[in-house]
């Protein structure tokens, strides 16, 4: 995934927060929109990414040529204005027929009545990575062409110099091993910081990147059994242990409270020993370091290694007046060659095994295949509740406060109170 996709993590939080305000203020349903005389409107946030937009346009062009009944028309928005466009359309019940949305926000859109189930695509989606298919309340509402995988990036020469083993998928580092590595890297005097966790990033990056660490400790953003309370999940003893550990990395100088503007460049320039980053960083770092660079599995902090799952996906609006046409396009677009085309353009993990074989680097035994394995084995989707946008922003504030010195227990307790109040005030989104 290129840097623009990482930036989308920031933008998606803005979209989600605004969308929740707009959607919760509207009645469910609405006037038909997004289709006229066989023309289906599609919206995407990819105006700023020519490669990915071009790959999407290729699917649309092929679909339009494949039949004469429907014609899809793409309208691409700059990332910064997609927020306003989507929320305004939702408020006026004039969403396009087909649109993209960040995966964790799909339940909110379903609850608000603006997404239709993707019926008749079961066989096509069976082979997709689970994290690339958006499900809510037993139904499928979206799918994506790709996912991404966070990983620990370092160099073999760095590990050899401090006498630390290279972890594997089957034997990742334990917390004790990782803490020991950080201590040794600090003691070596070779780096400004032992690690870079990209704490300068904002928005959706925080729940996407750091809640998996929380989950590996044994906590979570909310109790997923009913999604009624965060009590005992976000403020549990395990969650507090995570918060103290994360804050401790800053306190002892292992990481910066706010990393530089380009953590990958800082790692490449030798300022940090380990980088917590995404699969999107692989190509440039391989070009610089060759076989010395390592892309390692996440740490097992006690409850198994975890990484975030779910990236941008596509869905059909409930207000689309031609559901059959929209679903016909959605089915058409699931072909491996199209999944491969978008994933290749985005520099991301192809959603299907067939597509992976078509993308250089992702075939069996190739360099990038490890990222697909990480996604398959370690990906955890963010809480599947319409309340997620509020949960995300609440967690982000709490985590940032903790990193900057706030008391872990009281900060997490307050976050729990806020999340529980929001869930309850919305009747638990029933």
């Amino acid at each position: 995934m290129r840097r623009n996709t990482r930036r989308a993590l920031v933008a998606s939080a803005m979209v989600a927060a605004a969308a929740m305000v707009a959607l919760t203020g509207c009645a469910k349903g609405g006037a038909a929109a997004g289709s006229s005389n066989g023309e289906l409107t599609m919206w995407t946030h990819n105006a700023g990414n020519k490669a990915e937009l071009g790959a999407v346009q290729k699917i649309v062009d092929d679909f339009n040529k494949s039949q004469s009944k429907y014609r899809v028309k793409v309208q691409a928005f700059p990332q910064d204005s997609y927020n306003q466009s989507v929320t305004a359309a939702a408020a006026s019940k004039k969403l396009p027929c087909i649109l993209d949305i960040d995966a964790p926000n799909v339940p909110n859109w379903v609850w608000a009545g603006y997404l239709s189930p993707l019926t008749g695509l079961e066989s096509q989606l069976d082979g997709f990575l689970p994290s690339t298919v958006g499900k809510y309340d037993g139904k499928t509402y979206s799918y994506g062409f790709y996912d991404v995988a966070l990983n620990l990036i370092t160099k073999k020469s760095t590990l050899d110099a401090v006498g630390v083993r290279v972890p594997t998928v089957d034997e990742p580092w334990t917390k004790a091993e990782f803490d020991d590595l950080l201590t040794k890297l600090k003691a070596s005097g070779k780096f400004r910081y032992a690690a870079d966790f990209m704490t300068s990033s904002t928005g959706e990056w925080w729940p996407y990147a750091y809640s998996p660490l929380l989950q590996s400790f044994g906590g979570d953003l909310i109790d997923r059994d009913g999604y009624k309370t965060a009590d005992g999940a976000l403020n549990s003893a395990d969650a507090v242990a995570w918060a103290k550990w994360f804050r401790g990395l800053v306190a002892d100088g292992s990481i910066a409270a706010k990393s530089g503007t380009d953590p990958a460049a800082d790692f490449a320039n030798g300022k940090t020993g380990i980088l917590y980053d995404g699969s999107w960083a692989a190509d440039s770092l391989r070009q610089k370091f060759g076989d010395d660079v390592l892309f390692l599995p996440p740490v097992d902090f006690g409850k198994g290694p975890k990484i975030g799952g779910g990236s941008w996906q596509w869905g059909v609006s409930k207000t689309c007046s031609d559901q059959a046409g929209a679903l016909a396009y959605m089915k058409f677009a699931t072909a491996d060659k199209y999944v491969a085309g978008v994933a290749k353009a985005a520099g991301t993990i192809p959603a299907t095994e067939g597509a992976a074989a078509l993308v250089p680097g992702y075939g069996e035994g190739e360099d990038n295949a490890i990222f697909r394995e990480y996604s398959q084995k370690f990906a955890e989707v963010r809480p599947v509740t319409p309340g997620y946008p509020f949960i995300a922003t609440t967690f982000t504030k709490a985590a940032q406060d903790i990193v900057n010195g706030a008391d872990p227990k009281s900060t997490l307790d307050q976050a729990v109170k806020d999340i529980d109040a929001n869930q309850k005030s919305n009747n638990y989104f029933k």
Side-chain angles (χ1 to χ4, degrees):
M1 181 167 73
R2 74 278 184 237
R3 189 176 302 166
N4 282 352
T5 304
R6 179 162 64 84
R7 286 179 59 240
L9 287 167
V10 177
S12 67
M14 298 168 61
V15 172
M20 189 168 185
V21 173
L23 294 177
T24 55
C26 299
K28 296 186 178 183
S35 175
S36 177
N37 297 321
E39 183 174 281
L40 309 170
T41 304
M42 170 193 285
W43 281 10
T44 175
H45 73 289
N46 279 317
N49 185 338
K50 291 183 179 180
E52 188 172 339
L53 179 58
V56 171
Q57 186 66 57
K58 167 64 175 172
I59 305 173
V60 169
D61 290 344
D62 284 1
F63 174 75
N64 290 342
K65 293 175 183 176
S66 72
Q67 43 73 53
S68 58
K69 189 173 183 179
Y70 309 112
R71 180 173 179 81
V72 175
K73 182 179 180 180
V74 179
Q75 186 172 357
F77 295 79
Q79 196 165 282
D80 292 341
S81 65
Y82 191 70
N83 173 13
Q84 292 86 351
S85 301
V86 170
T87 54
S92 61
K93 305 177 183 65
K94 294 183 179 180
L95 285 168
C97 273
I98 305 165
L99 68 165
D100 59 2
I101 183 173
D102 199 22
N105 301 321
V106 169
N108 183 269
W109 284 61
V110 175
W111 166 76
Y114 287 93
L115 288 180
S116 292
L118 301 182
T119 56
L121 274 69
E122 292 80 8
S123 61
Q124 286 81 7
L125 298 180
D126 276 348
F128 277 62
L129 289 171
S131 59
T132 65
V133 179
K135 296 184 177 183
Y136 179 66
D137 199 23
K139 297 179 181 179
T140 298
Y141 287 90
S142 62
Y143 71 82
F145 298 112
Y146 56 73
D147 207 345
V148 294
L150 293 181
N151 59 110
L152 295 170
I153 306 171
T154 189
K155 295 186 291 181
K156 189 175 187 304
S157 56
T158 297
L159 299 185
D160 288 344
V162 293
V164 172
R165 74 178 178 92
V166 176
T168 64
V169 170
D170 295 327
E171 290 189 67
W173 281 322
T174 64
K175 178 180 181 297
E177 287 180 298
F178 188 62
D179 288 345
D180 178 62
L181 171 59
L182 295 180
T183 298
K184 289 177 176 178
L185 291 177
K186 283 190 300 179
S188 73
K190 294 182 179 179
F191 307 102
R192 182 177 180 184
Y193 291 103
D196 191 326
F197 274 67
M198 298 177 60
T199 48
S200 60
S201 298
T202 56
E204 183 62 18
W205 170 258
W206 281 70
Y208 172 71
Y210 307 135
S211 66
L213 307 181
L214 163 70
Q215 291 160 346
S216 186
F217 266 82
D220 207 343
L221 297 175
I222 192 170
D223 184 345
R224 301 195 186 208
D225 183 11
Y227 293 100
K228 290 187 174 182
T229 180
D231 193 31
L234 185 52
N235 61 351
S236 65
D238 289 333
V240 173
W242 161 79
K244 289 181 176 179
W245 172 82
F246 199 34
R247 167 58 191 163
L249 297 183
V250 175
D252 70 11
S254 292
I255 69 171
K258 186 175 183 179
S259 57
T261 56
D262 193 338
D266 288 344
F267 171 79
N269 293 327
K271 293 182 180 180
T272 51
I274 302 174
L275 175 64
Y276 183 51
D277 204 343
S279 48
W280 56 80
D283 289 344
S284 62
L285 293 177
R286 283 202 186 99
Q287 289 175 9
K288 182 174 181 65
F289 297 115
D291 292 339
D292 193 29
V293 70
L294 300 172
F295 301 93
L296 305 174
V299 176
D300 181 353
F301 289 103
K303 300 298 182 181
K306 311 285 184 183
I307 60 173
S311 191
W312 285 86
Q313 299 178 358
W314 294 88
V316 173
S317 70
K318 196 170 184 178
T319 53
C320 176
S321 61
D322 198 333
Q323 294 287 313
L327 287 171
Y329 170 81
M330 294 293 288
K331 182 178 291 187
F332 181 88
T334 60
D336 284 338
K337 64 179 180 179
Y338 298 130
V339 175
V342 177
K344 182 180 179 181
T348 50
I349 302 167
T352 68
E353 186 175 350
L358 300 176
V359 179
Y362 280 95
E364 186 175 354
E366 294 187 86
D367 287 341
N368 288 340
I370 190 66
F371 299 129
R372 197 159 192 275
E373 187 173 5
Y374 292 165
S375 185
Q376 287 174 313
K377 293 188 175 181
F378 304 139
E380 293 280 345
V381 298
R382 280 150 282 181
V384 186
T385 170
Y388 176 76
F390 185 87
I391 293 171
T393 56
T394 302
F395 172 79
T396 296
K397 182 182 184 304
Q400 289 175 339
D401 288 347
I402 289 167
V403 163
N404 286 293
D407 177 69
K409 183 65 167 64
S410 61
T411 302
L412 293 179
D413 281 341
Q414 184 59 55
V416 165
K417 291 178 182 178
D418 294 341
I419 291 170
D420 284 9
N422 185 69
Q423 294 291 110
K424 184 177 180 179
S425 68
N426 285 286
N427 194 31
Y428 306 106
F429 300 95
K430 295 180 179 178

